[in-house]
Amino acid sequence: MRHDIEFKTDDGITLRGWHYLPDTGTGPFPTVVMAHGYSAVKEMYLDSFAEVFARAGLASIVYDHRNFGASDGLPRQEIDPILQIRGYRDAITFAQSLPQTDAQRIGVWGSSYSGAHALVVAAQDRRVKAVVSQVPLISGHDNARRLIRADLIAGFQALCEEDRRQRYAGHAPAMSPVVAEDPAAPSALPTADSWAWFTKTHQDRAPSWKNEVTLRSIEMFLDYEPGAHIAHISPTPLLMIVGLTDHLTAADQALAAYERALEPKRLLTLKGGHFDAYTQDFDAASGAACQWFSEHL
């Protein structure tokens, strides 16, 4: 059972999404808070994960980040990781206010950029009783240096400096494509599989997705270091899901971060790449997450 929802952030922005409830019983239910990754909107397979959770007796709060999709917020298409982390914590507060929620059994799930957020939220917020981090970003600095050629970094930094001058003068923020068909062309996620997944999923499932973010979003990506929090998650149980051929949020960085996490923890490795957790590896990824939440919530 799915209902449309909206709730306010602590600073007054309205976020919108879905409340999934199991079809059996009236609750209160253990509840998983879920949002999507870099520029993605909830229609990009989050409904599929929430449906699996609902069949197992888990409720879900699924929402779009501020500035994206159905949610409010300006500037549109801007990704501020700190504000998105705060949005997760606001969503937890909203979930706990609902009569269908068991307020003492809250989990968080995230994937890719929101997989990073899930790590940080679980480290900071003890209302979280279990966390699943799927194909997460670990280090903005290190990851960017996998995606951006070394001889191009100075040019990108110059663009960011010019954007700051223009915004200070009152002009609109500069924009960048999220993906490009040519991986060598400027974009936030310059890999061939990023182009293929976003464009196909936009066409098939998510017409509200837009292929643009503010340039400042990429600058904030480079500053973001979620892996620094991973040892602080314990004693909250952590499941990390890693695609062994993931070259967008590099698999070796995620595996090394998992080694720094304390118990209780579990690692699931998938054979595919970054986006296969939503498609060909979906059953394994969603099943493991469902089992983790069912065990620990």
Side-chain angles (χ1 to χ4, degrees), residues 83-272:
L83 292 180
Q84 291 189 347
I85 288 165
R86 292 175 183 171
Y88 258 99
R89 300 184 74 174
D90 293 327
I92 292 169
T93 302
F94 169 69
Q96 289 185 320
S97 75
L98 300 174
Q100 301 95 338
T101 302
D102 184 334
Q104 301 306 310
R105 294 193 288 168
I106 299 290
V108 294
W109 179 99
S111 186
S112 192
Y113 213 47
S114 70
H117 302 343
L119 297 174
V120 180
V121 172
Q124 294 177 339
D125 197 325
R126 292 302 163 195
R127 295 177 297 174
V128 177
K129 305 305 181 187
V131 55
V132 174
S133 177
Q134 178 176 283
V135 295
L137 172 77
I138 298 300
S139 167
H141 178 278
D142 292 345
N143 210 87
R145 280 150 182 80
R146 296 288 185 89
L147 298 175
I148 304 173
R149 271 177 28 196
D151 60 326
L152 299 179
I153 291 175
F156 171 74
Q157 291 171 334
L159 290 175
C160 292
E161 292 165 6
E162 177 61 22
D163 179 48
R164 285 179 173 274
R165 287 190 288 270
Q166 292 296 320
R167 286 187 282 110
Y168 186 80
H171 298 290
M175 306 299 289
S176 168
V178 178
V179 295
E181 188 169 10
D182 178 2
S187 67
L189 306 177
T191 66
D193 58 343
S194 297
W195 166 261
W197 186 83
F198 273 101
T199 54
K200 178 172 176 52
T201 309
H202 166 54
Q203 179 180 354
D204 294 348
R205 300 176 62 97
S208 69
W209 177 76
K210 296 181 179 180
N211 187 19
E212 62 176 7
V213 291
T214 63
L215 188 65
R216 180 166 50 178
S217 300
I218 306 175
E219 187 178 26
M220 287 187 280
F221 174 102
L222 270 66
D223 294 338
Y224 187 30
E225 296 295 324
H229 298 266
I230 198 161
H232 307 148
I233 295 171
S234 178
T236 302
L238 164 66
L239 170 64
M240 185 181 288
I241 300 173
V242 177
L244 292 178
T245 58
D246 188 346
H247 51 260
L248 182 60
T249 55
D252 63 300
Q253 294 178 12
L255 294 172
Y258 177 80
E259 293 302 314
R260 300 195 302 271
L262 305 180
E263 298 289 347
K265 63 180 181 179
R266 181 189 167 200
L267 174 67
L268 172 69
T269 58
L270 306 174
K271 293 181 179 179

Side-chain angles (χ1 to χ4, degrees), residues 5-17 63-74 76:
I5 55 169
E6 62 178 49
F7 59 95
K8 295 283 189 181
T9 65
D10 197 48
D11 59 344
I13 302 299
T14 299
L15 305 184
R16 297 183 179 87
Y63 68 96
D64 284 327
H65 292 295
R66 66 166 65 208
N67 309 336
F68 287 87
S71 291
D72 291 347
L74 296 172
R76 299 303 291 175

